[in-house]
Amino acid sequence: MTPAELSRTVVRAVRSAVDEGALGAIGGMVPETVKVERPRPGGGGDYASGIALKLAAATGRPPREVAEVLRARIAGRPGIALVEISGPGFLNITLERDVQCGVVRQVLASPAAYGYGDALRGEAYDFAAVAEERARIVVEVVVGLLRSQGAAARIVPEAEVEAEGVGEGAPAEVLAVVPCPTPGLAGLVGVDAARWALLRAARHDRPRIDVEALLAQRESNPLFRVRYAYSRSRALTRNALQLGFTAEPGAVPEGERLLGLLRDHPGVLEGAARHRAPDRLARHLEAVADELLRFQHAVLPLGDEKPSAAHRSRLALAEAAGTVLAGGLSLLGIDAPELL
């Protein structure tokens, strides 16, 4: 269950409570989406939501009372193991372990499309073509992100805008992007490293350009770390085959943090598309890579240890993480080599 799916589950619970009169009158306003996020320090579960606090003002009831109404309706939904109330009225939601394994299955079953969705289906976006190096790359990636969420998006050449009148009443969007401080960067560090440097910084920030750091083939270089983590996932698969076993999704208690990052991936893509923010995807890939590099040491049997179901489940999680890294780099227009 992804955060988007969980959000829809919570929305259905709110709608059910309103329809049954359990929350009283809230002005007929049932939210279309509900924000779910990682629990804050002191909170429990896999996800948390403060929707009860928002609804409390509309209902005139204490937040914890509203939270209890929603807790009872969310707890019985498929895929939900536990719902608890913390603080002034936060809902802390724990997913069933089998549901979490389903995320790995989903990634491996649709490696090229995991995280893609239809949140923006029916929406259309035109972007003005630009010549400046960084702006051109940012616009290109934003268009790809919007398309990944079901939107119709394109870059409109200046000649077409003038010839067809594109933009009359709905002008082509011009993204505000701080220019590249080092013109011709790709010629200095290569296309992939240049794209990473220009996309990793928020588009309204000046990217930090350090040619030596961008060329460094070591873990202090974030792009190298992301690509290295992907190559390690492929190496784990090859090594497992040599040991006579393959991946099979299952429970991986020690991989909860990595699994959580994979669950978050669809929401990251949607947010990056909505906010025209490729940097969100780049930072997410760094987080996935860092966690995979920590997790990788538990994947293969050690010494005389025989491959077990636990090793197969860990391998499946590592393969899924590698798949997310490769897909994310592809959306950024960056190559993901299997061997480094």
Side-chain angles (χ1 to χ4, degrees), residues 44-45 71 82-86 90-94:
R71 185 202 66 76
L82 180 67
V83 182
E84 299 174 295
I85 301 172
S86 65
F90 287 101
L91 292 166
N92 296 98
I93 304 170
T94 301

Side-chain angles (χ1 to χ4, degrees), residues 67 85 94 129 132 139 191 230 242 258 263 266 269 271 308 324 329:
I85 301 172
T94 301
E132 193 278 322
V139 170
V191 173
Y230 169 70
Q242 293 173 353
L258 180 56
R263 287 200 309 266
L269 292 188
S308 66
V324 165
L329 287 173

Side-chain angles (χ1 to χ4, degrees), residues 7-339:
S7 174
R8 289 192 288 270
T9 295
V10 177
V11 168
R12 286 193 291 269
V14 172
R15 186 171 291 116
S16 171
V18 171
D19 291 344
E20 295 169 11
L23 290 178
I26 61 172
M29 296 297 293
V30 176
E32 293 185 4
T33 61
V34 169
K35 184 177 181 180
V36 292
E37 57 188 349
R38 293 289 183 188
R40 298 177 183 180
D46 298 311
Y47 289 101
S49 174
I51 183 60
L53 283 72
K54 293 183 178 181
L55 292 177
T59 62
R61 299 186 179 189
R64 287 188 69 91
E65 183 178 320
V66 175
E68 182 56 43
V69 170
L70 298 179
R71 185 202 66 76
R73 285 163 174 77
I74 297 171
R77 304 275 176 168
I80 305 297
L82 180 67
V83 182
E84 299 174 295
I85 301 172
S86 65
F90 287 101
L91 292 166
N92 296 98
I93 304 170
T94 301
L95 304 179
E96 292 179 351
R97 298 304 101 178
D98 287 346
V99 170
Q100 298 204 25
C101 296
V103 171
V104 174
R105 293 191 183 95
Q106 186 179 354
V107 175
L108 298 179
S110 303
Y114 178 67
Y116 287 36
D118 58 3
L120 300 179
R121 188 169 302 283
E123 299 187 27
Y125 302 90
D126 287 339
F127 294 91
V130 288
E132 193 278 322
E133 181 179 8
R134 187 184 183 208
R136 175 180 54 79
I137 291 172
V138 170
V139 170
E140 173 190 312
V141 174
V142 166
V143 165
L145 287 166
L146 287 166
R147 289 174 177 172
S148 79
Q149 301 306 304
R154 63 174 183 153
I155 300 172
V156 184
E158 183 177 352
E160 184 177 334
V161 173
E162 296 175 352
E164 299 184 6
V166 174
E168 293 182 5
E173 185 174 345
V174 179
L175 288 183
V177 180
V178 174
C180 174
T182 308
L185 182 62
L188 298 175
V189 299
V191 173
D192 286 343
R195 291 181 73 92
W196 179 268
L198 299 179
L199 293 168
R200 172 60 179 78
R203 57 187 173 87
H204 54 269
D205 289 338
R206 178 185 173 91
R208 298 175 61 184
I209 305 299
D210 183 330
V211 171
E212 183 177 346
L214 289 171
L215 292 172
Q217 298 299 294
R218 53 178 181 268
E219 292 190 18
S220 60
N221 178 350
L223 175 59
F224 173 80
R225 211 160 59 243
V226 171
R227 299 169 97 179
Y228 177 62
Y230 169 70
S231 72
R232 285 299 305 146
S233 74
R234 303 307 301 145
L236 290 170
T237 298
R238 295 192 298 270
N239 294 339
L241 285 173
Q242 293 173 353
L243 294 174
F245 74 99
T246 58
E248 183 178 333
V252 187
E254 64 274 38
E256 289 295 327
R257 185 172 177 181
L258 180 56
L259 187 59
L261 289 169
L262 302 191
R263 287 200 309 266
D264 292 345
H265 186 65
V268 171
L269 292 188
E270 182 181 339
R274 288 186 183 277
H275 297 281
R276 320 290 197 264
D279 57 294
R280 294 189 178 197
L281 173 57
R283 290 194 299 272
H284 178 65
L285 296 181
E286 287 182 32
V288 173
D290 290 343
E291 193 56 38
L292 175 56
L293 290 174
R294 282 190 286 268
F295 175 75
Q296 63 167 328
H297 304 293
V299 173
L300 300 177
L302 299 176
D304 295 331
E305 188 180 10
K306 300 295 183 183
S308 66
H311 294 111
R312 291 191 289 273
S313 297
R314 294 169 193 158
L315 178 61
L317 178 54
E319 288 183 354
T323 297
V324 165
L325 292 175
L329 287 173
S330 178
L331 277 171
L332 296 178
I334 297 173
D335 184 43
E338 290 197 12
L339 299 173

